[in-house]
Amino acid sequence: MDGGDVSVEGKVTCASWIKRPENAHLAVIGKSTGTCSSLEIFSFNSENTSLSSSPKATYVFEEGGEPLRIAVHPSGDDFVCSTTTGCKLFELYGHEDNIKFVCKEFPIQDIGPQKCMAFSVDGSKFATGGVDGHFRLFEWPTMRIIVDEPKAHKSFRDMDFSLDSEFLASTSTDGAARIWNTRDGVPVTLSRNADENIELCRFSKDGTKPFLFTTVQKGNKTLIVVWDISTWKKIGHKSLYNKPTSIMTISLDGKYLALGSKDGDVYVIDVTKMEISSLHKRLHLGTNITSLEFCPSERVALTTSSQWGVMVTKLNVPTDWKEWQIYLLLLGLFLASAILFYVFFENSDSFWNFPDPSARPKIETLHVDATSEEQWSSFGPVDL
């Protein structure tokens, strides 16, 4: 299945995966019908790469406001939705067949529309970047303010936390990019040429040497630029798909980057080779892709656009080994080793099949007469 539509009434504005135990993942989708807006939660079926035909739970924004962005806590128990008026916090509870979520009190519910929101990988921090360029960094769940910078950017474009949660990268609509130390809030500005716009950013997540990936628009050319986070210097760049990009994400294991173009294409990059591993043209034909996320446990992408709504797409990348497949392989190797050992034991004569002691030849006692002994002793001591 290359791409599957999900039937959702109204205009889809945003979507995100919700990681759940035993890979029973959910998808939360924001939509607007013009007269009212809502959030809907769907279950995910990995066997046929699809979402449930109807929502498992729904929340209606009775007080107004349209959902713009969704950020899900790594635990999967909470998520924040940015609306045209501010942010709302939701708590999820129940099981797959009886999922419910409720809106809770939140101190930033009146801060206005937020273009970017993100939780740190360890779940201890939460960050927002406003349409007005205001940057806020909080401890989670206490919401103690770490950074409050009203003039961080002209207007936020993208943001992402590093794997160790020590840094946060942010980009602006004017092409600038900054790196924030999440302990003290001290920023570093990434260098760029006058004709370069840094647009999207994602930190590596594979646990090896950490890097920062950014998309850079240089005239009509789209580049993937890699930065060393110890010096914040460029260490390389590559042009892989020369179309302007609207969104970028990275898989939880850090093996793949996925990018969505402004005309509806999605392409997946193998981070190790820095080559395109999977290309899905015209997935959202002629429309800007507004949401793009990897499924927490499958090589499946969740995408949205204003025209085509929400889609779940199985990505054409090499299949990962499942845990049960690894155990099955180890069991097979063990059984093969046991069989070889048995065959060797049955057919070996020189090592395992010791001769019968009773069949040993008798060794007769050697008798030396006195004459022979005198002959040997006549040589005297040997000088060594």
Side-chain angles (χ1 to χ4, degrees):
M1 178 178 175
D2 183 56
D5 296 334
V6 180
S7 179
V8 178
E9 295 181 1
K11 183 184 73 172
V12 173
T13 57
C14 53
S16 183
W17 291 106
I18 301 177
K19 185 178 180 180
R20 302 299 288 170
E22 300 179 356
N23 295 335
H25 308 307
L26 306 169
V28 54
I29 299 171
K31 68 174 188 177
S32 174
T33 61
T35 57
C36 67
S37 300
S38 64
L39 292 173
E40 296 180 343
I41 291 182
F42 295 79
S43 61
F44 172 65
N45 187 330
S46 60
E47 293 183 0
N48 57 15
T49 316
S50 66
L51 300 181
S52 56
S53 57
S54 59
K56 300 296 182 179
T58 301
Y59 175 86
V60 178
F61 293 90
E62 296 178 352
E63 66 282 7
E66 181 177 306
L68 302 175
R69 293 286 184 276
I70 298 171
V72 180
H73 190 269
S75 67
D77 296 329
D78 304 284
F79 65 89
V80 178
C81 178
S82 169
T83 71
T84 50
T85 58
C87 294
K88 290 186 176 294
L89 172 63
F90 294 89
E91 181 182 4
L92 192 71
Y93 62 96
H95 300 285
E96 182 180 353
D97 295 332
N98 189 27
I99 289 292
K100 295 181 180 180
F101 64 110
V102 294
C103 185
K104 302 179 67 177
E105 289 293 327
F106 205 36
I108 57 172
Q109 59 187 9
D110 298 319
I111 63 173
Q114 301 301 295
K115 182 66 183 293
C116 305
M117 299 188 302
F119 282 99
S120 61
V121 176
D122 61 6
S124 65
K125 298 176 179 69
F126 174 67
T128 65
V131 175
D132 58 0
H134 196 146
F135 173 58
R136 297 174 177 88
L137 177 64
F138 305 91
E139 282 187 353
W140 188 269
T142 64
M143 294 300 287
R144 183 184 72 86
I145 296 177
I146 301 174
V147 182
D148 188 358
E149 179 54 62
K151 303 295 183 182
H153 287 299
K154 179 180 179 181
S155 182
F156 269 79
R157 174 77 185 270
D158 197 14
M159 67 165 52
D160 190 46
F161 278 97
S162 62
L163 181 62
D164 59 7
S165 304
E166 290 293 316
F167 300 102
L168 181 139
S170 63
T171 62
S172 173
T173 54
D174 62 4
R178 305 180 84 176
I179 307 298
W180 306 83
N181 188 310
T182 60
R183 288 173 295 178
D184 53 24
V186 176
V188 174
T189 301
L190 295 182
S191 61
R192 61 188 176 108
N193 297 327
D195 61 344
E196 294 178 338
N197 285 333
I198 304 174
E199 297 186 337
L200 306 170
C201 58
R202 284 297 179 272
F203 282 96
S204 60
K205 298 290 194 300
D206 59 359
T208 59
K209 186 175 180 181
F211 299 106
L212 174 66
F213 302 99
T214 64
T215 62
V216 174
Q217 195 67 32
K218 189 172 183 178
N220 295 324
K221 199 169 188 179
T222 301
L223 303 174
I224 306 293
V225 178
V226 184
W227 306 74
D228 185 339
I229 74 168
S230 61
T231 61
W232 302 117
K233 302 292 184 182
K234 296 177 185 177
I235 59 177
H237 68 271
K238 201 169 186 180
S239 178
L240 295 174
Y241 196 64
N242 199 28
K243 282 188 176 183
T245 54
S246 60
I247 194 165
M248 176 167 66
T249 189
I250 192 166
S251 60
L252 288 183
D253 59 9
K255 293 182 179 180
Y256 296 100
L257 281 168
L259 296 94
S261 70
K262 292 183 177 180
D263 62 355
D265 295 351
V266 170
Y267 59 103
V268 182
I269 297 172
D270 186 320
V271 169
T272 303
K273 302 176 182 178
M274 285 306 290
E275 296 176 352
I276 293 178
S277 178
S278 178
L279 176 60
H280 302 262
K281 288 188 175 183
R282 298 178 293 278
L283 191 63
H284 291 257
L285 180 61
T287 307
N288 186 55
I289 294 179
T290 54
S291 300
L292 172 61
E293 277 191 15
F294 281 96
C295 176
S297 62
E298 308 288 335
R299 297 306 185 198
V300 173
L302 180 70
T303 56
T304 66
S305 65
S306 59
Q307 181 176 347
W308 300 101
V310 61
M311 294 185 185
V312 285
T313 305
K314 189 171 183 178
L315 303 173
N316 300 323
V317 296
T319 304
D320 293 327
W321 283 79
K322 303 292 184 182
E323 187 175 353
W324 66 268
Q325 292 175 318
I326 296 175
Y327 286 127
L328 184 62
L329 176 62
L330 293 176
L331 178 62
L333 292 174
F334 174 78
L335 293 176
S337 300
I339 293 172
L340 290 174
F341 178 84
Y342 176 77
V343 171
F344 180 73
F345 177 81
E346 288 295 318
N347 293 279
S348 177
D349 295 327
S350 60
F351 185 80
W352 297 105
N353 294 336
F354 296 107
D356 185 358
S358 62
R360 293 181 181 177
K362 295 182 179 180
I363 302 176
E364 297 181 356
T365 304
L366 179 64
H367 299 281
V368 181
D369 57 21
T371 305
S372 299
E373 186 176 353
E374 292 176 357
Q375 291 176 348
W376 286 105
S377 60
S378 66
F379 285 97
V382 180
D383 186 7
L384 299 177

